[in-house]
Amino acid sequence: MEKLQKYIIGANASIFQKIDPDSNVKVFVPENEEEIKAAIAFARENNLPITSKGGGSGMSGACTGASRKKVIISSMRMKKVLEINFDEGYAVVEAGITPDELNAEIQQRKPNWKFFVAPSSRDIATVGGILSTDGGGNDAWLAGTMADNVLEVELFDYHGNKIIVTKIDNDNKKAKITCSSKELQEKLQKNNFSIIDIAGAHGTLGYISKLKLLIKPLSEYNNQRFALAYAGNLNALGKIIYELIEANIPLTYGEAIVEAHHPEISRKTNPPMLILEFPLDFQEKVQTICKSIPDVNFNSVNKEEFEQKKEIRIKMAKRNPPEGYQLALFEGYGIAGDNLLRFEEIITKINQTLESCGFEPFIKFGHAPSVYHHGDKKVKGIIMHSREKRPEKLTSKMVFEGIVALVELCEKEGIIPKPEHKWPFSKTTQKHKRLTELTTILGKNFNPFILDSTLKELAELVL
Amino acid sequence: MTPQAEEISELLKKCVQCGSCILICPIYRATKEEQFSPRGKLYYLKLKDAFPEKFDAELDKEYAKTIFTCTMCGRCVEICSSETQLTEIFKEERKESVEQFPKLLTIAENVEEEKNVYGLDNEMRTESWTMELYDDFPDIDDRIYEEGKTAETIFFVGCLMSYRSRHTNVLRAILKVLEYLGEDYILLGGEEFCCGHPLDLIGKTNEANKLREHNTSIFTKIGAKTIITDCPGCLEALLEHHHIDPSVRVLHVTEFFDEKIDSVPNKLDITLKYHDPCELFRNDGVTEAPRSLMRKIGINIVEMEPSCCGGGGMLRVTDEKLANKIMEDRIIKEKLKEEDTCVVTCCPSCLEQFEQNEITTSDIAEYLVKALNL
């Protein structure tokens, strides 16, 4: 079964699925530290780079290692919960556990506690993988992204050195480094190596084995209220999101359905619209915001109707059009600030760009309001996901041209591609520069393709 | 490309490879190997299409083994937001694999030659258990089909209940309730051929259809208005593939009894964990009747995780060790041995799978007779 295992390990949710099966020289699925070290030693002895894989649900394709010769180390057998400390509010876990698995363990002991990072792939995405892409999900507005919810990370470098990065003063950019190599420890400490570096690094800095995660009680607010805000046009939707951000409403759920070229979804949700959950104390404020915006229809709903809409929203990422199939060409658009006030213009331009490259827009939806990291800054806005109708004859040239055109549009219009999906075109970004700097210290042996591949190489991987 | 291959290719395109089917798959949970997961199996086909030159018979044979390492529980279909009919793909792939590697499985020979999964004399189908029931049903032989006999209801017993002694008590219970209800029922005896479901599961649809043609011809001769069975696999085969006259109702025994029984004289007031047989609730859509019947009997139902017992999809034949591993994992995960657990179900295969792993398990019918004081 070894050959079959090497072939199948390339399975993942991104558009980059055409991974040369022979490029996976060996697959390791370690269960403990010794096995991790043995896997890394194999790669080192054979002079091969290492790609880490979690659940393979990310849209970036980082877990594939592209079609380059490499060793894959899966974390899918590293699922132990090592400690849960309710007094101090943390859980220590192995990197392969999913948020759903962790929350099941937490809630078995205290039903009103939880780990607050919940991307829609929380049933399969591993905490190690979510940190590598700095995932967030619909709790990010209040709880932040993965970087904000990790207190400590343990990772291994190419020489088998264990590196522990411990957050200081709850600051993502400050950390204490402990390492089995004192020389490496000093270098990393001197270069201010921190959790924010590992977040969104797409596995370029080492193999993440263990994490200490923040856990908290469920909302301090009781008496949640539910509402659906229907916007007559896209600018009105952008304006609601803008005003909710300005008023800093502690929404416990905020999701937008921007557009849906799907009769069933459209009939059931009537986009553009927002699905909202907030504390009773803020009902009047939310209502006032919505009612002050022309063309917005605010509807308080019961929990059952809220849950129905939530269910439709969570499944949208994976839905197919009534005829044909979906494709996620360019997964995340970060739209914030004044861009929210010209939301219609932005969406129209995105759709025109898609169409000019041969892609038919299908659905757009996203966490709104939400937060994400952009360089050193935390940005508040919508993280909009997009799905296109898959062209019947899809070519790598189309993908290449489509992504280039969208990147150009994003740069021109001030749309921030979601960090998770930035790597294929990120050579000028602060993150790219920082990772390049850190890999001169840690070595360029983990997922090097993230930092040195061309978009052309990646476009060839589209299946 | 053949029409089947084209159909599979279209079904495959629906899958976005999100991975939601992985951790709920009983096979993946037991093996922790991605090639055994639903996503992995579909990725194989996608990859083969992309790199045909890299695939050979040896690799196809390994893949064929993974395709038969599946309980066909359908939980992956249930969870799939992309609406990919994974089990349909797996059924087609099983067919392809059996054609490519005819010696992969031997069970087909038993069914083709002896008309039952055990390869035993089919005339023994009824004799093996009726002998034990003469005390309760001295006229049981009169209920066995012979040319010219007619009845309102056919009780389709199925291979598992016919040949495995554990189920004699379940049969006794079902027959007692049928007698109590005054039903005009009949058993097919040696004229009951395997429903073909096991052959479907191993990719032998044509051979399965031959058995079904025989069964349907006997149903027609009897002229029954209702056919009942306790086996969810038989039920699926009867409903989907026997081409039975639409005026004839095909029901699971729990549906039949739930319709006929409104109340019981001896409410049991006991708490039991209910295991939903995958084929019954996912494939046949029977969810409410067993629960309704149990509530009438006085069973306080504790719902279990809607997960396979490990006995589906012919896994006990293709990989018994793995089938047991699935149950062992469930025992740990659901703490079935830590608590004083009694399980109730309504599928002979699930029942055996639980009992073989030392979990006290009964069929709903075994409680029904107690509640009816029979």
Side-chain angles (χ1 to χ4, degrees), chain B residues 149-166:
Chain B
K149 276 189 183 176
T150 60
E152 290 281 304
T153 303
I154 296 168
F155 176 24
F156 192 91
V157 179
C159 297
L160 205 57
M161 292 185 84
S162 296
Y163 288 101
R164 305 278 285 194
S165 60
R166 163 58 183 96

Side-chain angles (χ1 to χ4, degrees), chain A residues 170-185:
Chain A
N170 207 25
D171 185 338
N172 294 339
K173 284 169 258 167
K174 281 190 200 164
K176 181 190 164 210
I177 312 298
T178 315
C179 179
S180 44
S181 156
K182 293 300 156 201
E183 193 192 337
L184 182 59
Q185 179 177 306

